[in-house]
Amino acid sequence: MTVGERQQVEITRLLWLGARVLILDEPTAGVDPKARREFWDQIHDLAADGMTVLVSTHYMDEAEYCGRLGIMYQGHLLALDTPDNLKQQMRNGAIWEIAVTPLMDALT
């Protein structure tokens, strides 16, 4: 059974038990892209049906699926708003891009 299949079974079991709140910690880590997309489709359906879903993720593309987004650093909540509002707030500041060649030397 794949990681994605295990996630589906677990969500189905929780629904069968009548859960109204779903807390997921890095739910798509190790899941292939197709299963990731299917997983998020299911989460959207559950949220639309009234389930509360709390997700932790380091994938920013996944964070954009959420209704509200909290950004934490070292256990402190730095920002909390909708993904669109947070992106708008971040665009007001300076954006730096740093390119290093060769990359491996820079990592050390």
Side-chain angles (χ1 to χ4, degrees), residues 65-81:
Y65 299 144
C66 300
R68 289 196 317 159
L69 174 63
I71 298 175
M72 296 186 73
Y73 178 70
Q74 294 184 343
H76 297 280
L77 184 63
L78 301 179
L80 177 65
D81 209 332

Side-chain angles (χ1 to χ4, degrees), residues 6 8 18 20 31 49 52-53 68 71 76 96 102 104:
R6 279 195 301 270
Q8 293 293 335
R20 297 305 308 152
V31 176
D49 289 342
T52 300
V53 183
R68 289 196 317 159
I71 298 175
H76 297 280
W96 293 65
M104 293 311 292

Side-chain angles (χ1 to χ4, degrees), residues 2-3 7 15 17 21-23 25 31-32 41 43 48-49 52 55 57 59 61 66 68 72 86-87 90-91 102:
T2 68
V3 173
Q7 293 282 39
L15 292 173
L17 292 171
V21 176
L22 187 59
I23 301 172
D25 182 24
V31 176
D32 67 85
D41 288 343
I43 294 302
D49 289 342
T52 300
V55 179
T57 183
Y59 297 122
D61 62 319
C66 300
R68 289 196 317 159
M72 296 186 73
L86 286 175
K87 285 189 288 187
M90 297 301 139
R91 287 188 186 129

Side-chain angles (χ1 to χ4, degrees), residues 6-20:
R6 279 195 301 270
Q7 293 282 39
Q8 293 293 335
V9 168
E10 203 51 36
I11 289 173
T12 301
R13 186 177 74 81
L14 291 170
L15 292 173
W16 183 74
L17 292 171
R20 297 305 308 152

